[in-house]
């Protein structure tokens, strides 16, 4: 069967799903660490600060380099970038296996390399998705792509209680490397369907690529994405703490309930992609979703509510919040005029998301330290939601304006 010369003939869903699988694989590198940290600290003798660096290395790199990776993908080629990122991440995971007590520097180095692989895939794979999708399906296909992070992190967290007792953290690292290599093989197998986005080097000049970032809408969407990341991070930090320290649940139950909360984002991502496909404005989705997540987040953080109701609010917040990554990431199908511009936009959106997590950490820590109550983190989440509503309304106004119509 001959692949389409452009992305327009029909959608080749196996190629779309192969690109998404690459994102899920690097997402596992993010999700494999939180539940493995106690084991890592015990085996390697890490302090709490050192363990924090192991966990935060991927986010720290993304904060400073995501947009640069997006621009580099336009010159290197999206397929090469994705394949290189997957293989690099797998090699780094395998390199970490011999690490023992006193091997913090090597562990941090491997996490840094995994972070580089994660960024390479996260910013370049959407161009492959776009190339394999027909124009009519492209927005929904990019909405499917937005599931990669909760799906990958949730999968790693679901597997952690099964692997950690028997194989320790090394079993989880080894499994992740296998998944990464399988994802690389799947992308290579589907490479003919990525032809419009595969090549690099001879694409538009850097100034032409950067032209897409002169519009205000991408920056507003990136800000809205980052404000959701602040709220989601508050849920991820607080939920395990509440379940383990305040309710005394076992590690298995903590992992399961946290995993369900994360995976609730996936159907939300798909819903967001479907709504965008039906023509719902992205700014409108951001404003409505931030309104709902703000209220649900406050309900989750209220100590007086029953535990079941608080957990339901947490899961619902994750589900509705999943609409936002889909709305933001799928916008590259409308805003970009070349695969290189898709890469640049995805780098910008990734940077906005990671900045939200990066800024949310000290804000939450400062408020909790000042009040002595973890539930105070809810005010950070609520404040981010209020600003997110405002950002969404401004973006919606731009989308309805004459420039958007043209």
């Amino acid at each position: 069967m001959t692949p389409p010369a452009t992305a327009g003939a029909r959608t080749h869903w196996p190629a779309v799903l192969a690109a998404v699988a690459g994102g899920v694989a690097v997402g596992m590198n993010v999700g494999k660490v939180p539940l493995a940290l106690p084991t890592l600290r015990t085996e390697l003798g890490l302090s709490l600060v050192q363990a924090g660096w192991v966990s935060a290395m991927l986010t720290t790199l993304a904060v400073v380099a995501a947009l640069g990776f997006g621009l580099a993908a336009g010159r290197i080629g999206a397929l090469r970038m994705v394949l290189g990122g997957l293989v690099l991440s797998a090699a780094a995971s395998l390199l970490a296996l011999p690490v023992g007590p006193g091997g913090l520097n090597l562990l941090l180095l491997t996490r840094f390399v995994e972070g580089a692989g994660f960024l390479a895939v996260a910013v370049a794979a959407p161009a492959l998705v776009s190339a394999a999708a027909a124009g009519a399906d492209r927005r929904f296909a990019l909405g499917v792509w937005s599931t990669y992070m909760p799906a990958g992190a949730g999968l790693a967290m679901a597997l952690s209680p099964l692997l950690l007792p028997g194989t320790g953290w090394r079993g989880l690292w080894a499994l992740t490397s296998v998944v990464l290599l399988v994802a690389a093989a799947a992308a290579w197998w589907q490479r003919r369907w990525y032809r419009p986005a595969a090549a690099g080097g001879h694409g538009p000049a850097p100034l032409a690529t950067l032209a897409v970032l002169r519009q205000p809408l991408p920056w507003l969407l990136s800000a809205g994405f980052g404000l959701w990341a602040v709220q989601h991070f508050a849920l991820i930090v607080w939920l395990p703490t509440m379940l383990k320290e305040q309710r005394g649940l076992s590690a298995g139950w903590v992992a399961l309930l946290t995993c369900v909360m994360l995976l609730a984002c996936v159907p939300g991502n798909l819903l967001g992609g479907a709504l965008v496909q039906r023509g719902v404005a992205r700014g409108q989705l951001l404003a409505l979703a931030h309104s709902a997540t703000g209220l649900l987040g406050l309900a989750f953080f209220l100590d007086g509510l029953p535990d079941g109701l608080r957990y339901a609010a947490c899961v619902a917040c994750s589900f509705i919040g999943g609409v936002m990554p889909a709305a933001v990431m799928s916008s590259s199908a409308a805003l970009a005029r070349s695969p290189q511009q898709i890469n640049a936009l995805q780098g910008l959106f990734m940077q906005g998301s990671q900045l939200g997590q990066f800024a949310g950490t000290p804000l939450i820590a400062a408020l909790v330290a000042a009040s002595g109550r973890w539930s105070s983190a809810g005010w950070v989440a609520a404040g981010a939601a209020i600003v997110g509503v405002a950002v969404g309304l401004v973006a919606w106004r731009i989308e309805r304006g004459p420039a958007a119509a043209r």
Side-chain angles (χ1 to χ4, degrees), residues 32-46 51 99 101 107 160-161 163-173 244 251:
K32 73 185 182 183
V33 171
L35 294 181
L37 274 181
T39 305
L40 281 168
R41 289 189 64 194
T42 300
E43 288 192 21
L44 307 184
L46 304 181
V99 171
L107 184 62
S160 294
L163 292 174
L164 290 175
T167 65
W169 64 271
R170 291 178 179 84
L172 191 55
W173 261 242
K244 185 176 182 179

Side-chain angles (χ1 to χ4, degrees), residues 47-69:
S47 69
L48 188 61
V49 173
Q50 290 170 335
W53 275 110
V54 173
S55 178
M57 184 60 73
L58 267 71
T59 300
T60 304
L61 180 62
V63 165
V64 299
L67 181 56
F69 269 72

Side-chain angles (χ1 to χ4, degrees), residues 43-327:
E43 288 192 21
L44 307 184
L46 304 181
S47 69
L48 188 61
V49 173
Q50 290 170 335
W53 275 110
V54 173
S55 178
M57 184 60 73
L58 267 71
T59 300
T60 304
L61 180 62
V63 165
V64 299
L67 181 56
F69 269 72
L71 295 173
R75 308 305 296 171
I76 295 172
L79 182 59
R80 293 192 192 103
M81 198 83 165
V82 168
L83 293 174
L86 290 169
V87 173
L88 198 64
S89 295
S93 292
L94 292 174
L95 185 62
L97 296 182
V99 171
L104 174 64
N105 290 338
L106 179 58
L107 184 62
L108 288 176
L109 175 61
T110 61
R111 288 297 287 166
F112 181 86
V113 175
E114 286 177 353
F118 167 77
L119 280 180
V121 176
V123 302
L128 303 185
V129 172
S130 183
D137 296 327
R138 193 166 294 135
R139 287 175 291 182
F140 179 72
L142 287 168
V144 173
W145 159 255
S146 70
T147 66
Y148 81 94
M149 179 57 80
L155 179 60
M157 295 187 75
L159 293 172
S160 294
L162 303 176
L163 292 174
L164 290 175
T167 65
W169 64 271
R170 291 178 179 84
L172 191 55
W173 261 242
L175 176 63
T176 304
S177 67
V178 171
V179 173
L180 287 160
L181 291 174
V182 170
W188 175 253
W189 185 260
Q190 297 292 336
R191 64 190 182 278
R192 60 178 180 164
W193 298 94
Y194 304 138
R195 193 169 297 163
H202 56 273
L207 288 179
T209 300
L210 286 171
V212 72
L213 302 182
R214 295 173 188 163
Q215 310 169 64
L217 188 56
W219 295 92
L220 289 167
L221 295 174
S222 180
F225 195 4
L227 290 162
W228 161 239
V230 172
Q231 299 169 69
H232 203 209
F233 182 79
L235 298 180
I236 293 170
V237 168
W238 172 240
L239 181 61
T241 301
M242 183 188 78
L243 295 175
K244 185 176 182 179
E245 297 183 5
Q246 296 189 5
R247 301 299 181 264
L249 296 185
S250 66
W253 275 107
V254 172
L256 176 62
L257 293 174
T258 304
C259 178
V260 169
M261 183 274 289
L262 277 173
L263 291 178
C265 220
V266 174
N269 297 146
L270 298 176
L271 174 62
L275 291 173
V276 169
Q277 185 78 5
R278 290 178 175 272
V280 180
R282 294 174 178 84
Q284 184 181 17
L285 284 177
L286 285 179
L288 292 174
H290 273 297
S291 300
T293 57
L295 294 173
L296 290 166
L298 279 178
F300 169 66
F301 285 106
L302 285 176
D303 291 326
L305 293 179
D307 285 349
L309 188 57
R310 293 176 68 185
Y311 181 70
C314 180
V315 173
C317 186
S318 181
F319 168 72
I320 295 175
V323 168
M324 290 186 265

